[in-house]
Amino acid sequence: MKKPGMNSKGNGKPPEIIGRDEEKDYVVRRQFMFRLNLFFFAAFVMFGILIVRLAVLQFIDGPELKLMREDQGTRDVSIPPFRGNILDSDKKPIAYSTSTQTLTYTLQAEKDKQIAIDMSVKLSEVFKKFNDDPEAQMTPEEIQKNMDLNFRTNTISVPRRIRSDLSNREIAYITENREQFLGVDIVEESVRNYSEDRVATQLVGYLKKYKSAGDLTKYKEIKEKNDPVNKYLQEETVGFDGLEYMYQEQLRGINGLKTYPVDRTNKVTGAPVVQPPQRGNDLVLSINRQVQLTTQKAISDQLEVLQNATSRPLNEGNAARMGFAVAMEVDTGKVVSMASMPDYDTNIWKGGSVPPDKYEPIKNFVTNGTIRTVFPNYKDPKVQAKHTPSLVYLGSTQKPLSILIGLNEKLFTAGENYRDVGRYVFGSKGNEVTIWNASRKPNGNIDAREALAKSSNAYMSEMIGERLLDKYGGSKAVEVWDDYMKQFGLGVLTGSGLPYEQPGVEDYFHEAKTASNQSALVRASFGQLGKYTTLQLAQYASMLANKGKRMKPLFVNEILDPKGDVIEKVQPEVLNKISFPDAYWNTIYAGMSRVSVQGFEGVSYSFLRKTGTSQQQVAGGKLVENSVFIAFAPADKPKLAIAIIIPEGGYGGYGAAPVARKIFDAYDEAVGLYGTPKKATGTN
């Protein structure tokens, strides 16, 4: 039974109210559905746009974006390596590297040079304010020159080297205010230093900037390398001569690397990642410091003696201005001293260049005169032409080899007598040429030993020069002579590997063409037609000492890595060998033991020697006399061979021999001619 006031649904609402509620619910549901559909539609549209955009990025903009991504990469900047040291035989430094702080500037890809110019002004002010050294000051214009704003020597990515040897105050200020110095960097560099006592200056060599050395053979090949770890940098210093050049690869080390993040305009966008450089290896030389310094001083002292001498025979060397010496171990080929005097202070090359005013006075002495032509330092070329250079005729030091050739060719026997009247005459009738002995002295009846001891030009001319021509005839005889010379290292490179070494000059070929084969052989037999270097002469003397083994001259005992471990031990090397009967060698030894020589009074060791006084014609037709000397000791078991050349030094026995005595004594004290250093035993 329906209660009063209730409708048919039992909720007590009138029907008209119920209808309005249902209509309201319907509207709400419809609005909700509309919003939901709108949301799904909007989502669909958004996803559609995203998909289309992705497709555009992938297929249309992709290549360009990839290129942009590659442009927004890195820039590699090489850091020059730290050069290895050159040490003497006792591992004490001769050439060594020390570190310095260098300021560099890297262009920030600016097209407007004003940015760099403004930076140059800032840096100039810093140098002036924080460094009291006047030489450290730089004007903005000087800094701009080093910045290379016109790209004359560098690409945009190469840091410009502005100045080295920064003071602590300069470093501190720039580091603390780095945001003001965009593109400025402070890097550690190595500076090459050379010992103040000038040990073997020309042998060791020096460094120059790579950009100045690029035309040298060794560096032409390196130019092709683009690898930032191995490529050479324009501003780094590299070996230019001597052992510095010869062993460049061992000494240099490997570049370090700074990798900078950059944007597509090549502008640095962050801090670099640094891979430090690797240090080069060290060379331990065969050069004994004590022997080397003694050699250098002995030559300098002897030049002073000759220049100031007032009486004969020493005054024959008044014009001497240069001297050269090489001391070489007979069995190993190791060079214990090599001196080219005068020398100079190699430290003038610090930084890779030298001012013209400092180079001019020493330009003739930068070159190693023991291996190539060096002239005395006369400013006037006409005056210089009147003096002999470092390559001279051997003079009578040729005669031991001449005797060996004569014996080996069976031109005579060791005991065969020859009547020496003091001269030998050759040539056709009416064109006779007379060869005189020294001082025109006749020696009477002599054999091969006495001919060598008394240095008979007449004997050499007739018994060797003439008889070799008779045996082979014509140019063939000259070729046979030349073959012997080359087997003994005269007229060919020594095999040392030193840069710019010269093979000598065989004037006997020229004499054969312009005069006669007879004249060529006669004059060559007593040492007047072959010009050779001091190193060749030392190698030749060593061959006489060791009975025919031509040893390769060695300057390095071993190579050490940066930790000091041996990575290579240099071994003796025989370049060629000549086999003669012992009787032939003993013949020349007997003659050499009797050669008269000055300066060896009271020596405690036996030695064999040969003096030489070679004559050379200079400008104006003047004949000058060069002092030449070879020797080896001890006589019974040779350990050290020495060659001395003093151009215009007069008689070899007076001008050159005293230098050799001092070298032998120094070697005996430091190393020991008999195997034990004298300074170790305390003997005198």
Side-chain angles (χ1 to χ4, degrees), residues 149-189:
L149 300 180
N150 294 318
F151 306 103
R152 291 179 179 176
T153 59
N154 297 291
T155 62
I156 192 170
S157 63
V158 175
R160 275 61 169 164
R161 189 174 183 275
I162 306 301
R163 211 201 81 207
S164 292
D165 295 326
L166 297 179
S167 69
N168 291 335
R169 294 171 65 205
E170 289 170 319
I171 295 170
Y173 181 80
I174 293 172
T175 303
E176 291 170 3
N177 299 275
R178 185 169 295 278
E179 69 281 353
Q180 299 179 27
F181 296 94
L182 190 62
V184 172
D185 202 359
I186 297 174
V187 298
E188 184 179 19
E189 281 189 327

Side-chain angles (χ1 to χ4, degrees), residues 248-321:
Q248 167 66 19
E249 293 86 352
Q250 289 283 1
L251 290 165
R252 180 179 185 265
I254 299 176
N255 293 346
L257 205 61
K258 280 188 177 181
T259 303
Y260 290 89
V262 295
D263 61 18
R264 63 178 303 184
T265 65
N266 211 29
K267 186 175 182 180
V268 175
T269 59
V273 176
V274 179
Q275 177 184 328
Q278 294 182 30
R279 184 181 179 279
N281 296 323
D282 292 342
L283 304 181
V284 180
L285 303 188
S286 57
I287 296 295
N288 181 282
R289 197 183 214 95
Q290 179 178 335
V291 180
Q292 178 68 35
L293 293 178
T294 298
T295 302
Q296 294 170 192
K297 187 175 187 304
I299 295 174
S300 297
D301 290 349
Q302 185 67 7
L303 289 174
E304 186 174 352
V305 168
L306 293 171
Q307 291 166 15
N308 295 306
T310 56
S311 58
R312 295 186 77 253
L314 283 176
N315 66 350
E316 296 292 332
N318 283 165
R321 293 294 181 272

Side-chain angles (χ1 to χ4, degrees), residues 325-512:
V326 175
M328 179 175 172
E329 289 185 342
V330 170
D331 292 330
T332 65
K334 291 181 179 180
V335 175
V336 295
S337 72
M338 172 182 271
S340 178
M341 303 300 290
D343 60 1
Y344 71 104
D345 183 4
T346 324
N347 286 300
I348 66 170
W349 293 100
K350 188 175 292 186
S353 62
V354 59
D357 61 320
K358 291 186 178 180
Y359 181 73
E360 184 65 26
I362 54 93
K363 64 180 181 181
N364 283 17
F365 309 134
V366 170
T367 301
N368 188 347
T370 66
I371 62 168
R372 59 186 298 199
T373 302
V374 170
F375 283 91
N377 201 22
Y378 292 98
K379 292 184 178 180
D380 187 345
K382 292 181 180 178
V383 175
Q384 190 178 77
K386 295 180 180 180
H387 297 272
T388 51
S390 51
L391 262 68
V392 302
Y393 292 137
L394 296 190
S396 295
T397 59
Q398 166 71 56
K399 291 172 181 174
L401 177 52
S402 296
I403 294 293
L404 287 173
I405 293 171
L407 291 171
N408 195 58
E409 290 293 333
K410 306 295 190 292
L411 304 182
F412 52 81
T413 62
E416 184 177 339
N417 275 326
Y418 171 77
R419 182 164 180 75
D420 181 356
V421 297
R423 68 185 183 277
Y424 176 68
V425 180
F426 72 94
S428 58
K429 189 173 182 180
N431 296 294
E432 294 90 352
V433 176
T434 301
I435 301 297
W436 294 94
N437 289 341
S439 302
R440 303 192 174 192
K441 180 182 178 181
N443 293 308
N445 291 327
I446 57 175
D447 61 13
R449 302 173 190 84
E450 292 167 320
L452 190 54
K454 297 180 178 182
S455 204
S456 171
N457 291 341
Y459 182 98
M460 304 297 155
S461 299
E462 185 171 1
M463 298 292 281
I464 300 167
E466 284 284 10
R467 290 190 180 187
L468 191 65
L469 182 64
D470 291 342
K471 179 175 180 178
Y472 289 100
S475 61
K476 175 64 176 175
V478 180
E479 292 171 2
V480 170
W481 177 268
D482 179 63
D483 183 59
Y484 276 109
M485 295 299 105
K486 287 180 168 52
Q487 288 186 68
F488 274 81
L490 303 173
V492 294
L493 297 178
T494 64
S496 72
L498 285 175
Y500 319 118
E501 183 183 359
Q502 294 174 330
V505 180
E506 302 109 326
D507 280 341
Y508 44 80
F509 283 125
H510 178 73
E511 182 75 6

Side-chain angles (χ1 to χ4, degrees), residues 99-127:
S99 62
T100 183
Q101 300 300 315
T102 296
L103 185 143
T104 66
Y105 178 70
T106 304
L107 298 180
Q108 297 298 292
E110 59 262 41
K111 294 181 180 179
D112 184 0
K113 292 182 182 179
Q114 191 60 44
I115 298 175
I117 293 172
D118 292 343
M119 182 60 68
S120 71
V121 174
K122 279 186 183 181
L123 292 175
S124 179
E125 292 172 352
V126 170
F127 296 158

